[in-house]
Every structure is written in C-alpha cells, then in structure tokens.
Amino acid sequence: MATKQINSNEKRKHSTPTPIQRKEKLQKTSKSDSTVKEVLPNVTTNEKKNGIFYSVSIVLLAFGFACLHVYHVATMFENDRHFSHLSMLEREMTFRSEMGLYYSYYKTLIEASTFSEGFHQITNDNLTEYPSVINTLQRFNLYQEVVIGSLYRAFMAVMDRLGWATKQCWQVERGQGFAPVTSCEGLGDPVYFYLEIVWLCAGFTMALIFLYGVFLSGSIGGGILSVVCFFYNHGECTRVQWTPPLRESFAYPFCVLQMICVSVCFAETIKMDNGNLYIYLQLLTISGSTWLCLIMWQFSQFMLATQTLALAAMFIIGAINKRTLLVILFGQALGILQATISLFGNELLLTSVLTCLIVTIVVVAIMLEPPLTHLTLCHGH
C-alpha cells in the first residue's frame, strides 16, 4: 500500500506543471497568437484585392457586352435599310406607322426657333387630331423626344461655338437615270443623333441584363449565360434593330432596372435587420425606376401588372413577408403617382389594371390579413 501511495504522489508531481513550464506555455501561446495576428491582415488585404478585381471585371464585361450590342443592332439596321445611302426624306420615310409620328415631334422640337417654342407646339398640338388641340405629352409618351431634342440643340450649340464639324456629306449617284442625292452622316444629322441615343439604350439594356444575371446567380458565369441566351433569342427579345423609334426601345433598359430593384429588395429584406433609412432607399429606387418605365412606354403597365400578381402569389404562399410586399407595392404606387403627374393626368394610367391591382392588394394585406390569420389559427386549434 505504501508503494502505491508513493507512485501516485510521484504521478501527481509529474503531472502538475512547474512555474517555469507555465511561462514557457504562455510564451508559446503568445507567439502563436502573434503569428495569427500577422496572418489575418494579409488575408483581409487579399480578400479586398480579390473583391476589387471581381467588381472591376464585372464592370468591364458589362461595358464590353453593351458595346457589342450597340454595334450589333446598328449594323443590322444599316444592312437592312442601307440607311447611310438614303436622302433625308427617304430616311424619314423609313419610319412607318407610329414611328413617324414620334419622330415628327422630335423634328418639331429641333426645328423651332427656340426650345420653349417647340415645347409649346407639342403641348398645344392642333395637327394630330385636327381641329382639336391636344397636349401630346398627356396623350402619348414623348418625353424621350423632349430629352433627345434638348440634347441635340445643346450639342449643336456647343459644336457651333467651338467651330467643330458635326457631319460629313457627299453626293450619292443612283444610276439608271435617277438623279443623285445628298447624304450626310454624323451626330450633326438629326436622324443619326436620334438613332445613336436609341443604340445607347440598347447597349444599356444588355449591360443591365448581364448585371441582373450576375446578381441572381452570384457568379460571372450566370451573367455571361444571360447574355448568350439574349443573343441566341435576339429576334424574340427585342426589335430595336427594325423599329428604333418605338417606345419599347427606350423603356426596355428601365424595365430591366425596375426588376433589378425589386430583386434587390427581396434579397435585402430577408435579412430583417435593415433600418428605416434603407427602407426609404428601397422605396426611392423602386418608385424612380417604375416612374421611368411608365412614362416611356404606354404598355409597361401591363408588364408591371404581371409583376404585381406574382408578388401577391408569393405573399399568399409565404415566400415573402408582409413588409417586403408593402415596400414594393408602395414603391410602385409612388411611381404611378409620379408618372401620372408627369403625363398631365393620363387617363389610361389612372384607370389601368396596374393601379387597381396595387390598391386591392394593399387593402387586403393591411386590412384583411390580420383577421384572416386569426381565423386560420382558431380553425387550427
């Protein structure tokens, strides 16, 4: 028994560390902590570098795809119409049906002695529905022509002040007894300036589609796949290369932007840790993009109506919460209010299906959702 006690005491002595051993352990742990602290800054800096490189690569790819789409649609339009070899009258005649109507208002704005006089002519038009005098900004979606007309007048004023040439003209021989015509190219030509803005909108559309694909998939490959699918189904996705002055050619990028804003709202409100300031920012982006979409295309309300129905369905099945639904709906409602004011009380928008849907779903979500939930709980018990 004595021997066993001695052995156990010896084991306890060997197991308890001496003060010197404790110091050595502390020194080792401190050294290991210092090495970890030295490694962490390198990791964070590498992550920052990778994040900056990733963001720059996304921006460059979006810009490259936008330039590619601009070149693609401009080349298709030129090959279809031989636009550069036509006279001014023949170029304007290529804009058939309502395209010529929209372009005529742009022509009125740039040919008037002053911009204010041209603006007064289109807001007090007595030619379109003679003998009635109508406000074409209220009846049609013509803010594109107003903006392009003001940009053209400003561009020509600056170029004239600097003395720079804005277009190049030459004589085109028709042959076979036809008289030659004078044809011009360059931003100084009103038709070319108008078309360049349309092509820029098409490029903006492609950039946003790429960014939308990157956002939804979380990778650059998803954005590239979106661009490839758009080009593969180009004839079904857009007709900007055949009918540039149509309203959808200008509204397309802003409709995609509105969908991106709604998708970002989905992703951020799921976290449930956003403050009131961020909610106001979401309302501002959704309302602004909805406003731009509505004032540029009279049929964009139907696209937004399908979006609203999808939101209601997601709310019913529990895919989104009540706050997310109300933020998006109130953003759409603000956009409709802004568009109605901008269009001088457009009746088509005020009495649209979109307006009725938003009002109905908001009333149901606020007024009827609590009692319906209470009835469901009672039925379950």
Side-chain angles (χ1 to χ4, degrees):
M1 295 293 292
T3 55
K4 288 181 181 179
Q5 290 177 356
I6 291 170
N7 291 332
S8 62
N9 292 330
E10 288 179 354
K11 288 180 180 179
R12 289 175 184 173
K13 289 180 182 180
H14 287 293
S15 61
T16 56
T18 61
I20 298 173
Q21 290 175 347
R22 289 176 183 172
K23 289 181 180 179
E24 290 177 353
K25 288 182 179 180
L26 290 173
Q27 290 177 357
K28 289 180 180 179
T29 55
S30 62
K31 287 180 180 179
S32 62
D33 292 337
S34 62
T35 55
V36 170
K37 291 179 180 178
E38 290 177 357
V39 171
L40 285 176
N42 294 329
V43 173
T44 55
T45 53
N46 290 330
E47 289 178 353
K48 289 180 180 179
K49 290 179 180 178
N50 293 331
I52 293 172
F53 177 75
Y54 183 75
S55 302
V56 171
S57 61
I58 289 175
V59 172
L60 291 178
L61 283 172
F63 179 76
F65 288 131
C67 294
L68 177 62
H69 195 225
V70 168
Y71 174 78
H72 180 65
V73 294
T75 304
M76 291 180 70
F77 181 76
E78 171 64 25
N79 293 339
D80 180 65
R81 307 285 176 85
H82 300 285
F83 204 71
S84 60
H85 291 74
L86 301 178
S87 64
M88 177 62 70
L89 179 61
E90 292 169 336
R91 288 174 179 176
E92 294 177 355
M93 290 175 65
T94 59
F95 298 147
R96 300 178 296 273
S97 65
E98 70 268 28
M99 292 189 291
L101 178 66
Y102 298 138
Y103 184 80
S104 66
Y105 296 119
Y106 163 72
K107 192 175 178 181
T108 300
L109 287 167
I110 63 175
E111 290 182 351
S113 57
T114 60
F115 178 78
S116 59
E117 181 182 347
F119 188 82
H120 181 268
Q121 291 180 13
I122 66 172
T123 52
N124 297 272
D125 180 58
N126 59 353
L127 297 176
T128 305
E129 297 183 4
Y130 181 82
S132 301
V133 178
I134 63 170
N135 183 356
T136 57
L137 287 178
Q138 180 187 20
R139 189 66 59 85
F140 312 112
N141 299 72
L142 297 177
Y143 276 99
Q144 299 92 309
E145 279 69 29
V146 173
V147 173
I148 299 173
S150 61
L151 290 176
Y152 178 79
R153 296 182 72 101
F155 173 76
M156 292 303 296
V158 172
M159 293 297 105
D160 292 341
R161 180 67 62 87
L162 297 175
W164 292 354
T166 57
K167 59 183 177 180
Q168 184 179 5
C169 301
W170 57 85
Q171 192 172 13
V172 179
E173 298 292 340
R174 300 300 184 94
Q176 297 181 356
F178 293 101
V181 296
T182 302
S183 181
C184 298
E185 282 187 352
L187 292 177
D189 188 74
V191 181
Y192 269 93
F193 189 89
Y194 186 90
L195 290 176
E196 287 300 325
I197 301 296
V198 177
W199 307 147
L200 286 177
C201 289
F204 189 39
T205 301
M206 181 54 67
L208 287 175
I209 287 174
F210 170 74
L211 295 176
Y212 199 18
V214 171
F215 174 76
L216 293 178
S217 64
S219 64
I220 296 179
I224 296 175
L225 180 62
S226 302
V227 173
V228 171
C229 292
F230 186 89
F231 272 107
Y232 182 77
N233 301 283
H234 196 269
E236 289 75 27
C237 292
T238 181
R239 52 177 179 172
V240 64
Q241 66 275 12
W242 315 129
T243 56
L246 288 185
R247 305 298 85 187
E248 64 202 59
S249 301
F250 299 96
Y252 204 156
F254 299 102
C255 292
V256 178
L257 180 63
Q258 196 271 348
M259 291 188 290
I260 293 175
C261 293
V262 172
S263 301
V264 171
C265 184
F266 282 157
E268 294 298 330
T269 51
I270 290 174
K271 298 178 182 178
M272 298 296 292
D273 58 352
N274 299 314
N276 293 329
L277 181 61
Y278 197 85
I279 293 177
Y280 294 147
L281 181 61
Q282 289 175 341
L283 282 171
L284 181 64
T285 54
I286 293 174
S287 63
S289 56
T290 303
W291 168 66
L292 290 171
C293 195
L294 288 172
I295 66 171
M296 290 192 176
W297 189 21
Q298 66 270 28
F299 297 127
S300 59
Q301 54 176 294
F302 301 108
M303 183 272 294
L304 295 174
T306 59
Q307 183 186 84
T308 306
L309 287 174
L311 289 171
M314 293 175 68
F315 176 68
I316 291 171
I317 65 177
I320 59 175
N321 54 30
K322 183 178 179 180
R323 188 182 70 169
T324 303
L325 176 69
L326 292 179
V327 167
I328 298 173
L329 290 180
F330 279 125
Q332 290 180 343
L334 287 175
I336 293 174
L337 180 61
Q338 294 170 352
T340 303
I341 295 172
S342 301
L343 297 174
F344 300 92
N346 187 281
E347 296 178 358
L348 180 64
L349 185 57
L350 283 174
T351 59
S352 64
V353 178
L354 175 63
T355 305
C356 298
L357 279 174
I358 291 176
V359 173
T360 304
I361 296 172
V362 168
V363 170
V364 170
I366 295 177
M367 303 297 294
L368 300 180
E369 191 261 346
L372 287 176
T373 305
H374 181 70
L375 290 174
T376 304
L377 291 175
C378 293
H379 182 71
H381 288 300

